[in-house]
Amino acid sequence: MPQKSSSRRSALLAELAVTSRRYMASYALFNQAVADRLGLHPTDLQCLNLLGLEEGPVTTGRVAELTGLTTGSATRLVDRLERAGFVTRTRDTADRRRVLVATVPERMAEVGAVWQRLSGRWDTLFEPYDDDEIALLIGHMRRTVELSAAQIALLREGTG
């Protein structure tokens, strides 16, 4: 990897810090607007997003893992989503002690419809990038997800 000048790197890292804060704030505000459109809390919307990536129904414990919430907070989140009709709870047929949380396809279609109306503009965002640049972005996003999970754990433990 080529050596970077320390003054240029310092300036870029400072700019990155400011730009990252704007980026995260803009996404949080965008998420809030989508959640408002659907009548959901922003965390609930992101939980639905994550549940949509799972292969099937999950336990509330898994909801806690996915969201970084405590099990009590995850239970309250699932309660809200169930009241709003976005998820159902059913007993696991293999282990009757377990309760599984499943998304309701019709309600998830409503969420999908909002994203579909907005997705065309997001797709154009990546047109200027070549495949290597997109791969770099994917790698960055994966590392960000991993770091965020670790930081959430530190905050939950009270050490962050």
Side-chain angles (χ1 to χ4, degrees), residues 14-16 27 47 62-63 89 101 106 116 120 123 125 130:
E15 184 178 351
L16 180 61
Y27 187 79
C47 179
R62 177 67 179 147
V63 171
R89 287 182 170 114
V101 178
E106 298 80 17
Q116 187 63 35
D123 292 346
L125 184 67
D130 65 30

Side-chain angles (χ1 to χ4, degrees), residues 1 3 6 18 21 24 28 32 49 61 63 78 84 91-92 99 111-113 117 124 136 141-142 147 150 156:
M1 187 175 266
Q3 190 66 22
S6 62
V18 170
R21 288 176 61 192
M24 288 184 280
Q32 178 71 59
N49 174 38
V63 171
V78 171
R91 291 264 174 222
D92 185 349
V99 175
V111 176
R117 284 193 300 276
T124 62
L136 176 72
M141 289 179 182
R142 285 183 177 148
L147 179 60
R156 298 272 184 254

Side-chain angles (χ1 to χ4, degrees), residues 44-112:
D44 299 1
L45 175 60
Q46 288 310 309
C47 179
L48 287 174
N49 174 38
L50 293 169
L51 287 174
L53 297 172
E54 293 292 294
E55 301 227 352
V58 300
T59 64
T60 303
R62 177 67 179 147
V63 171
E65 290 172 13
L66 290 169
T67 59
L69 296 171
T70 63
T71 54
S73 293
T75 297
R76 288 188 293 280
L77 185 155
V78 171
D79 288 345
R80 288 192 305 269
L81 289 174
E82 186 176 37
R83 277 193 305 275
F86 284 93
V87 301
T88 58
R89 287 182 170 114
T90 56
R91 291 264 174 222
D92 185 349
T93 55
D95 181 350
R96 300 288 298 159
R97 295 170 294 177
R98 288 179 8 137
V99 175
L100 297 175
V101 178
T103 58
V104 175
E106 298 80 17
R107 297 306 308 266
M108 291 299 284
E110 292 174 31
V111 176

Side-chain angles (χ1 to χ4, degrees), residues 119-131 133-134 137:
S119 69
R121 291 189 177 132
W122 289 107
D123 292 346
T124 62
L125 184 67
F126 299 103
E127 287 176 0
Y129 300 108
D130 65 30
D131 291 351
E133 290 170 318
I134 291 173
L137 291 170

